């Protein structure tokens, strides 16, 4: 077959895969935002075979032969197809080793486990969820062993699913560098005499007002409303349904409007990345470079932009106008900035401040590594979770819902994802460092030109490349060096020294 | 094969068909309520093949053989399977005659025509839509001819899709009976000296307040929120996604809160029917009996219940509380009742009062009949539309958006549906007549026991049977006689004589 024929055949397959994924994404979005809980079981029961059809197509001999042929001709392919062939062959080599029945088993298991996790969380009882979790972990281990270890370690195989090429060796060194700075800094902050009064941040702001605020934030940040939507979900997420339908969700707590602001900015960051992928990218290269790179953008918009003093100046008037009488138009920009950046060691990852957030991730990383490297068992997981929270954050976990049951990931069979959040923070700080050599970031925010200046820079230097490069290549292309935690450490140190020690 | 084996095989097929339909319903719901317009094309492009897979399965030899075998053993089947086999065989016999390619062509045509119709409506120009409509009609004619005429008439075949067994002969007589009473009554009302002041009904009530009102109405009427959802759409509809997910949508006009109240009650009626189908019904018998029977319930809740004086007494306080200062708590129950039942010959079907509504339907019926029986051409359609509006309703159609472009149906290739609305009204009045011999309808509304008394009656006498009987059998079972327009005529006459002539 000529390369052009191969291209055409691959594109036809991709189109079908994408068709299935569009339907699954809409189903998932619907399940998470609108569908009544009572209907989830029956729907999964009825529609499961369509997911199986999708998997069968991905495992069909015809498709496998196509990928093998593309791979055998890789030196003659154009750059986009060379990358596509590499990624497809890699996926195939692993998937070939896993019987479809195992994948189906995992899907059924996680569909049920999600409900069990919900129940356990509602009833605040880890014991309800533990048996499901154990089953999931055993099955994921079994499947990952079939797929193959990397450097004699199945956790590396899982990490690679989310961040191409990353290993526990690199992550251990990365997280150790962060731990050695963040834990002492957190201790010092706890002893600092600076008291940040954020009582206004707990004032009641109605759902309707907060949804208007979400829209305002998304608009400021450059999200294109005509190619997306805003929804409400229990756990906020971004849904990349199709090129012109990239959706953001938020969760409204009426007594915690900051949560909505930063969560919206976070999901908006994911969405802005995915709305601005290069127009000429084809097939699965029209995606973000990796989970961590995607997280770098969500956390860039959430923290580096939305928690900056310039951004607070920009939104302060609007926020003030929504507050109840007691606080209305009385909160100064400085007070708002400090409240938005208040450090507080707490139990919930998604509500954590920018400093302690990474510690939440490190705990999950260490637990997952233990589970998959055989040094930790599910029966000891809760104890170890609570122990690490005490050791790293200095907090006592007094109930399961706010402890080990807080995250959805494990109930879905997602292991190896958490480090992406921390890598995202570090990529973000490193990108900011380079960006500042070319543009004035603070001024752009001040001038309400986030999209025109910062968005354009990121589009030109990051978004346009989609998945054409591996994240390791991309960060070098973008910043001239590999991932380096020092930029994030410096960023955090500068920020919090100024806030808590007036430096 | 034993009948039990046949049952099992049919159920397996049904499960797959239902799985596809669940995904398509969610896609359609999403497209109509949330998805950005810009994404509709790409999604249909990517997912179309899954619809084709569904059609292929329905046309597979294995399924066809199964249905033929069920049909050949029909005398040995249990009552539910006997009905299932009858319906499936009938569908098969027609579909067998239509090549899959024709159905796919129609789907593609209507997907595009929907966009063209939207554009034409926005630009108020029928000429933009006319060529698409002509193509659709020609293709539907071609397909229907292949499926086969009924009594030498393809429009009968289309009518039967929505109301099993109904023909133009019956409908002509049915509509003539209605026309002969409604048109003179409307003329008299126009000359009546009763002036109904409904200025408060045009007061501005915010979207947020109106959405609360929708929820209140649904709750009063007995809609089960835990097995559904409320959404907003350009054109309100009810979506029967899965047994535990029956959704209602509404459209909010901030200066027309009555529209929302009655539209919500209408869609809620559809939903209540579908939420209360018999638990023991299997496969596709777990659906409403027919489109007209479904409409009988939507219009029962919208008109017979929600426009009754007792219901207005029930909601008046709540409605008053939402009005702007000028009207707040100042509108009497009597004023509200009169405004809710004001007769006004107007252009828009969905906003029509209970009396003139049927005239809107008769116009569409006569036009469709003309188009499919060869006495009317698309090029003359607009002229004829406008002429009939003048003749029956006495109104001048001055623009296309409010005239021939107002309804979505034709752009979707739906012909033969409109009569269901009028049949629904007539069924409703006939059911009410019988119901009143057993329960006190007005008292039940007054006591806020709509669900307990009226809902229970309808569940026991109608909803529980699902699709087990044909609508012709069902109306006899329910009321002791076939469809009889006299009940509806009497209902309208009594109501409007009282309102406009104090009788």
């Amino acid at each position: 077959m000529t390369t052009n024929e191969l291209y055409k055949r691959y594109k036809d397959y991709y189109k079908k895969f994408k068709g299935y994924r569009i339907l699954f994404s809409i189903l998932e979005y619907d399940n998470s935002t609108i569908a009544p809980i009572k209907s989830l079981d029956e729907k999964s029961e009825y529609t499961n075979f369509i997911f199986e059809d999708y998997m069968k197509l991905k495992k069909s001999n015809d498709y496998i032969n196509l990928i093998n042929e593309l791979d055998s001709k890789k030196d003659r392919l154009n750059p986009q197809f060379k990358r596509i062939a590499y990624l497809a062959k890699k996926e195939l080599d692993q998937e070939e080793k896993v019987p479809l029945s195992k994948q189906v088993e995992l899907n059924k298991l996680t569909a049920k486990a999600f409900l069990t996790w919900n129940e356990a969380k509602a009833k605040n009882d880890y014991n309800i969820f533990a048996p499901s979790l154990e089953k999931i972990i055993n099955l994921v281990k079994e499947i990952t062993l079939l797929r193959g270890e990397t450097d004699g370690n199945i956790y590396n195989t899982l990490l690679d699913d989310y961040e191409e090429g990353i290993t526990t060796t690199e992550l251990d060194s990365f997280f150790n560098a962060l731990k050695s700075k963040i834990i002492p800094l957190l201790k010092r902050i706890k002893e600092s005499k600076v008291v940040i009064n954020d009582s206004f941040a707990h004032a009641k702001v109605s759902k309707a007002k907060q949804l208007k605020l979400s829209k305002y934030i998304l608009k400021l940040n450059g999200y294109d409303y005509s190619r997306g939507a805003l929804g409400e979900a229990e756990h906020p997420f971004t849904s990349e349904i199709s090129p012109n339908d990239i959706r953001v969700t938020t969760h409204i707590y009426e007594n915690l409007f900051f949560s909505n602001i930063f969560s919206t900015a976070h999901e908006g960051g994911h969405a802005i990345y995915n709305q601005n992928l290069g127009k000429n990218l084809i097939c699965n290269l029209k995606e973000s470079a990796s989970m961590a790179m995607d997280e770098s953008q969500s956390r860039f918009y959430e923290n580096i932009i939305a928690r900056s003093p310039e951004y607070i100046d920009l939104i302060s008037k609007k926020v003030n106008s929504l507050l109840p009488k007691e606080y209305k138009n009385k909160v100064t920009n400085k007070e708002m900035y400090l409240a938005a950046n208040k450090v507080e060691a707490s139990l919930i990852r998604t509500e954590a401040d920018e400093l302690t957030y990474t510690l939440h991730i490190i705990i999950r990383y260490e637990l997952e590594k233990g589970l998959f490297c055989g040094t930790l068992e599910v029966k000891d997981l809760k104890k170890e979770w609570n122990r690490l929270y005490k050791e790293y954050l200095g907090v006592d976990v007094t109930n399961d819902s706010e402890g080990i049951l807080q995250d959805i990931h494990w109930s879905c069979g997602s292991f190896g994802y958490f480090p992406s959040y921390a890598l995202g923070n570090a990529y973000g700080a490193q990108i900011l460092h380079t960006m500042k050599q070319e543009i004035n970031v603070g001024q752009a925010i001040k001038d309400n030109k986030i999209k025109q200046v910062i968005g354009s820079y990121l589009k030109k230097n990051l978004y346009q490349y989609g998945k054409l490069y591996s994240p390791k290549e991309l960060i070098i292309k973008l910043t001239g060096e590999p991932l380096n935690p020092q930029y994030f450490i410096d960023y955090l140190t500068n920020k919090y020294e100024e806030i808590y020690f007036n430096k």
Side-chain angles (χ1 to χ4, degrees), chain A:
Chain A
M1 232 181 292
T2 66
T3 48
N4 277 336
E5 281 162 351
L6 289 173
Y7 292 171
K8 193 194 163 304
R9 287 195 55 218
Y10 181 84
K11 283 181 180 173
D12 287 345
Y13 266 107
Y14 173 77
K15 199 173 157 188
K16 284 195 168 190
F17 294 152
K18 184 70 182 170
Y20 278 115
R21 288 205 301 264
I22 285 174
L23 284 186
F24 301 147
S25 301
I26 293 174
L27 178 65
E28 196 192 340
Y29 181 88
D30 191 86
N31 281 345
S32 311
T33 56
I34 303 170
I37 300 273
K38 283 182 185 169
S39 73
L40 300 187
D41 256 355
E42 68 197 19
K43 278 181 204 157
S44 119
E45 176 82 12
Y46 279 118
T47 59
N48 207 35
F49 85 95
I50 301 175
F51 184 80
E52 289 173 28
D53 282 354
Y54 167 63
M55 293 303 292
K56 275 181 208 152
L57 192 65
K58 285 186 76 174
K59 285 177 175 284
S60 65
N61 285 331
D62 187 65
Y63 176 68
I64 292 173
N65 292 339
L66 173 64
I67 299 306
N68 284 329
E69 192 167 348
L70 274 167
D71 180 61
S72 72
K73 291 181 176 162
K74 60 187 165 208
D75 296 331
R76 280 187 271 155
L77 305 179
N78 69 35
Q80 290 209 47
F81 264 101
K82 202 167 175 175
R83 174 82 176 143
I84 285 173
Y86 168 78
L87 291 169
K89 175 69 178 160
K90 184 178 157 191
E91 191 183 10
L92 200 66
D93 284 347
Q94 293 194 354
E95 283 191 353
E96 250 183 349
K97 297 169 191 157
V98 183
L100 181 55
S101 60
K102 286 285 161 203
Q103 194 54 50
V104 171
E105 194 185 335
L106 182 61
N107 291 333
K108 286 186 181 164
L109 200 57
T110 53
K112 278 192 188 163
F114 173 73
L115 300 174
T116 316
W117 168 72
N118 259 312
E119 189 197 339
K121 201 174 171 185
K123 294 183 177 162
N124 192 20
D125 185 357
Y126 174 63
N127 292 328
I128 295 173
F129 178 55
S132 300
L133 181 59
E134 180 139 28
K135 277 186 205 153
I136 291 175
I137 290 175
N138 287 337
L139 189 54
V140 171
K141 274 186 185 174
E142 191 188 336
I143 289 174
T144 317
L145 260 174
L146 289 171
R147 292 171 59 199
E149 299 169 303
T150 312
D151 300 339
N153 182 338
I154 56 170
Y155 191 48
N156 281 338
T157 308
L158 293 171
L159 288 170
D160 181 79
D161 287 343
Y162 302 107
E163 188 64 5
E164 198 180 337
I166 203 105
T167 62
T168 52
T169 313
E170 289 167 87
L171 282 178
D172 284 343
S173 130
F174 171 74
F175 281 130
N176 285 336
L178 292 173
K179 262 202 298 194
S180 71
K181 297 293 177 184
I182 295 174
I183 296 178
L185 180 55
L186 175 61
K187 281 203 176 127
R188 283 179 56 225
I189 287 173
K190 281 184 176 176
E191 287 153 13
S192 148
K193 283 181 185 122
V194 173
V195 176
I196 295 174
N197 179 358
D198 63 349
S199 60
F200 73 91
H202 298 273
K204 187 177 169 178
V205 180
S206 72
K207 187 180 265 205
K209 279 185 186 167
Q210 288 209 42
L211 285 174
K212 279 185 192 163
L213 191 57
S214 301
K215 288 186 182 170
Y216 170 77
I217 296 287
L218 288 173
K219 203 171 170 192
L220 276 186
N221 294 2
Y223 173 75
D224 180 357
Y225 250 98
S226 76
R227 295 167 57 225
L230 170 69
E232 285 178 79
E234 182 61 28
H235 310 280
F237 62 98
T238 304
S239 183
E240 292 104 31
I241 294 173
S242 66
N244 287 306
D245 192 359
I246 311 286
R247 300 183 193 174
V248 167
T249 65
T250 185
H251 183 95
I252 307 288
Y253 299 95
E254 293 204 322
N255 292 308
L256 218 59
F257 68 83
F258 266 152
S259 163
N260 174 41
I261 291 180
F262 297 115
S263 173
T264 301
H266 178 100
E267 302 306 333
H270 285 303
I272 289 163
Y273 188 169
N274 285 280
Q275 282 190 329
N276 289 286
L277 298 165
K279 290 223 182 307
N280 297 324
L281 294 168
I282 56 166
C283 301
N284 37 329
L285 298 188
K286 212 181 181 85
E287 289 175 13
S288 60
S290 71
M291 291 295 175
M293 210 50 96
D294 218 308
E295 283 300 330
S296 83
Q297 294 313 293
S298 57
R299 299 192 67 77
F300 195 96
Y301 277 87
E302 174 191 354
N303 293 322
I304 294 175
I305 294 181
R307 282 195 165 92
S308 70
E310 295 86 357
Y311 195 84
I312 299 292
D313 288 353
L314 202 61
I315 66 170
S316 169
K317 201 175 160 189
K318 176 85 176 180
V319 173
N320 258 298
S321 75
L322 300 175
L323 295 177
K325 235 183 230 169
E326 195 184 346
Y327 299 108
K328 201 172 194 137
N329 303 327
K330 287 176 191 157
V331 183
T332 67
N333 295 2
K334 176 82 182 175
E335 285 165 339
M336 201 173 286
Y337 171 70
L338 291 177
N341 288 286
K342 186 176 182 176
V343 171
E344 213 155 19
S346 69
L347 291 170
I348 308 289
R349 173 182 63 85
T350 54
E351 301 299 331
D353 57 79
E354 206 176 342
L355 182 73
T356 57
Y357 189 90
T358 303
L359 298 177
H360 291 264
I361 297 306
I362 294 175
I363 292 171
R364 286 154 180 79
Y365 166 70
E366 293 181 354
L367 294 173
E368 287 189 348
K369 196 176 69 166
L371 287 167
F372 284 91
C373 297
T375 57
L376 178 63
E377 289 180 52
V378 174
K379 72 175 174 53
D380 302 320
L381 189 58
K382 177 176 154 182
K383 215 178 95 191
E384 189 62 6
W385 176 289
N386 295 355
R387 191 186 69 78
L388 289 173
Y389 264 83
K390 186 68 183 174
E391 184 178 333
Y392 295 168
L393 284 142
V395 294
D396 294 303
V397 182
T398 53
N399 75 70
D400 298 348
S401 299
E402 295 186 322
I404 191 165
L405 291 174
Q406 69 184 268
D407 294 308
I408 193 175
H409 305 60
W410 294 344
S411 77
C412 306
S414 285
F415 300 93
Y417 186 92
F418 284 117
S420 311
Y421 295 110
L423 290 167
N425 281 334
Y427 281 144
Q430 187 165 335
I431 293 168
L432 176 69
H433 178 85
T434 308
M435 184 191 281
K436 278 184 161 172
Q437 290 158 25
E438 202 170 304
I439 63 173
N440 188 332
V441 176
Q443 192 64 42
I445 300 171
K446 206 169 171 175
D447 296 344
N448 191 7
K449 289 197 169 160
I450 296 167
K451 182 180 175 173
Q452 297 88 328
V453 180
I454 303 172
S456 296
Y457 176 93
L458 289 166
K459 185 171 180 174
K460 185 179 147 214
N461 294 288
L462 172 58
Y463 305 161
Q464 68 147 320
Y465 297 116
K467 226 182 184 58
L468 189 55
Y469 303 104
S470 75
K472 288 192 173 186
E473 292 168 327
L474 194 58
I475 192 68
I476 293 175
K477 195 172 164 65
L478 235 153
T479 67
E481 62 176 313
L483 174 70
N484 178 349
Q486 197 55 45
Y487 296 106
F488 185 47
I489 291 169
D490 291 345
Y491 165 83
L492 289 175
T493 310
N494 290 338
K495 179 165 191 171
Y496 292 105
E497 287 289 343
E498 192 195 325
I499 292 175
Y500 281 95
F501 308 100
N502 301 309
K503 281 180 190 162

